[in-house]
Amino acid sequence: MDTAKSIATMTIEELREHCAQLEQQVAELTAKLNWFMEQFRLSKKRQFGSSSERTCALEEQLLLFNEAEAEARPEAVEPDLETITYQRRKTRGRREMNLEELPVEVVEHRLPEEERVCPCCGGPLHEMSTEVRQELKIIPAQVKVVKHVRYVYSCRRCEKEEITTPVITAPMPAPVLPGSPVSPSLLSYIMTQKYGAGLPLYRQEQQFKSLGIDLSRQTMANWVLHGANTYLTLIYDRLHEHLLKRDILHADETTLQVLHEPGREATTKSFLWLYRTGRDGPPIILYDYQTTRAGKHPRRFLKGFKGYLHVDGYAGYHELVDVTLVGCWAHARRKFDEALKALPQDKRNKAVAAREGLKFCNRLFAIESELKDKTPEERYQIRQERSKPELDEFLAWLKKQKAQVLPKSAFGQAVYYCLSQWEKLVAFLQDGRLELDNNRSERSIKPFVIGRKNWLFANTPRGAKASAIVYSIIETAKENGLNPFYYLAYLFERLPNLDPQDEEALEQLLPWSETLPPICRMNN
């Protein structure tokens, strides 16, 4: 009533001003409501929807518990277990498995001598032909004791004549850990199970019990720490030196929880930084554990590196000296994809601005897919002819959208991200060896992220550092076509018997060394 009276006494100018204030409040509240609705839809999408950015088919989400049922396809045909020794036409609907590298066990099924009689005439039967059925046989893990017997020799003549008797002992390889029963193969098995297959030590403890061995997780943890911090760190440091000599690298980071860090709460998040090589040369993948996400950590790790560094939009890399940062178009594309998903269902298939921004990104990726097999020089030239005009048009479009969009909306964030990162996003035009995105880093950090879901946290900084070292060696080995189990076993055989200062000997143990035994190769 009081409001009605006050409005009744207002002049026309006051009423207009009051209406303008109300309209502004309505606009602000509407913008806030739209923002909250966007966040709500994105939250529901992240919780229940597919994480894929594909704009067409949605991939099924498979839970660990019901994976067998979800993956089962009764109509799927069985693979052909054939050794491919000649060219022939493939039968539609059947896949062939190349088993040339596998050992073969032959089981023959013959009629007993007394049954080789013709049921019609009673004459003897002869072997006319054979029918062959192949199947894959699995041999479960086995554990045995290897007893090293070292013989000691002396001279009977010297003993008889009471001369000083020389005692000569047969040489024997140094153990991985003196006074411990751990062997190179056992330590390699524990590490590859934990860091390669994501099997925590407490589950391995249960597996060893089923094999009749009482091996505690505490003992295995001690072995892992010793193997990583004493031996694998030597290979890690050599790989680090080689990494810094390259001129194109990728970087990324993810969270890691370490329970007992001095002066920090157990719930405080630490970080695992990833640094890896690009297209050129043998691949190197290194992880670096640090307590924070501060920019001092990449400055320290990459000290001496000069060249291009593929990154996402994180500002922690901006203080690097003599380094050109290359932005990630996958991140830019993801922003527009999220903006599209944040819209109400009835607007997602319409010609909205978010979809237009997504199309710009998709055109860049389409060009790159055609350049996959081109040389760096060809790739550089074609990018100048085709990608650069697309970028110029996209930049003009972004500047136009900036004047019309709400900065805090999902679409506004996509626009502002691209504009703020533009110098880094167009850096890929400078060299044909550079990549459009930083997906190479994301793929390399994925094994750690998946493994983290199994073991959740590290106990101490020493353990986190050891984990980073082991992950580095295993992932680098895999990318170089090595079998991580045999490679680690070989390292634990050789490293205890080498001089740590012998750089040439360490070079012979790196994942791309031609002197590695054939058993280390992936197909063995």
Side-chain angles (χ1 to χ4, degrees), residues 12 45 59 87 119 140 178 222 287 322 362 457 470-471 475:
I12 293 177
K45 185 70 178 176
E59 296 180 350
Q87 295 285 337
N222 291 337
Y287 301 89
D322 296 325
N362 286 341
F457 54 81
V470 180
Y471 265 117
E475 293 304 316

Side-chain angles (χ1 to χ4, degrees), residues 46-221:
R46 293 188 187 105
Q47 185 176 6
F48 300 109
S50 170
S51 61
S52 172
E53 297 169 27
R54 295 179 182 176
T55 53
C56 301
L58 295 176
E59 296 180 350
E60 294 182 5
Q61 291 180 315
L62 302 179
L63 300 177
L64 181 63
F65 183 76
N66 69 335
E67 184 181 8
E69 182 179 0
E71 289 281 19
R73 294 291 183 272
E75 71 280 4
V77 296
E78 286 292 315
D80 282 339
L81 306 186
E82 296 187 7
T83 301
I84 309 302
T85 57
Y86 56 90
Q87 295 285 337
R88 68 179 177 84
R89 202 171 176 180
K90 292 186 177 181
T91 305
R92 181 181 295 272
R94 295 184 70 84
R95 294 180 301 155
E96 294 172 345
M97 299 175 66
N98 192 339
L99 308 178
E100 290 181 353
E101 304 297 334
L102 296 180
V104 178
E105 174 186 341
V106 178
V107 180
E108 296 182 337
H109 304 275
R110 285 186 167 93
L111 284 175
E113 190 69 36
E114 62 273 13
E115 294 183 16
R116 299 180 191 177
V117 179
C118 176
C120 294
C121 68
L125 298 179
H126 72 279
E127 293 179 355
M128 180 184 69
S129 63
T130 60
E131 295 179 1
V132 179
R133 183 189 82 213
Q134 294 196 97
E135 58 189 23
L136 293 174
K137 178 180 179 180
I138 189 72
I139 302 175
Q142 297 178 349
V143 181
K144 64 180 179 181
V145 176
V146 177
K147 185 179 294 186
H148 291 269
V149 180
R150 190 179 190 184
Y151 287 88
V152 180
Y153 300 85
S154 66
C155 175
R156 293 191 182 280
R157 179 180 177 183
C158 290
E159 291 175 354
K160 184 176 181 180
E161 297 180 359
E162 298 183 356
I163 304 175
T164 302
T165 304
V167 176
I168 301 176
T169 305
M172 182 172 64
V176 176
L177 179 59
S180 168
V182 63
S183 67
S185 62
L186 178 55
L187 184 53
S188 174
Y189 180 80
I190 293 170
M191 285 184 172
T192 52
Q193 286 290 96
K194 175 174 170 60
Y195 299 103
L199 196 65
L201 295 182
Y202 78 89
R203 291 184 184 169
Q204 293 193 52
E205 181 181 30
Q206 296 169 354
Q207 284 191 345
F208 281 117
K209 279 187 178 180
S210 68
L211 295 172
I213 301 172
D214 190 9
L215 189 56
S216 71
R217 68 193 77 172
Q218 291 79 14
T219 298
M220 287 188 282

Side-chain angles (χ1 to χ4, degrees), residues 107-108 142 152 163 195 205 244-245 257 274 290 352 387 524:
V107 180
E108 296 182 337
Q142 297 178 349
V152 180
I163 304 175
Y195 299 103
E205 181 181 30
L244 297 178
K245 293 177 183 177
Q257 187 177 354
L274 165 74
Q290 295 295 340
V352 293
S387 300
N524 288 311

Side-chain angles (χ1 to χ4, degrees), residues 285-356:
I285 302 173
L286 298 180
Y287 301 89
D288 181 42
Y289 154 72
Q290 295 295 340
T291 55
T292 67
R293 203 185 181 196
K296 63 181 180 181
H297 301 308
R299 286 203 310 272
R300 176 196 58 79
F301 195 91
L302 296 176
K303 184 178 180 181
F305 166 70
K306 296 180 181 180
Y308 297 96
L309 181 66
H310 289 81
V311 296
D312 55 19
Y314 177 50
Y317 301 101
H318 293 177
E319 299 177 12
L320 293 171
V321 181
D322 296 325
V323 173
T324 300
L325 300 181
V326 183
C328 177
W329 276 98
H331 278 75
R333 184 189 185 282
R334 194 172 300 149
K335 298 286 184 182
F336 287 104
D337 182 70
E338 288 182 351
L340 193 62
K341 291 175 180 176
L343 294 173
Q345 188 68 40
D346 59 339
K347 293 185 179 180
R348 293 180 189 174
N349 295 323
K350 296 182 179 179
V352 293
R355 182 172 295 280
E356 192 173 351

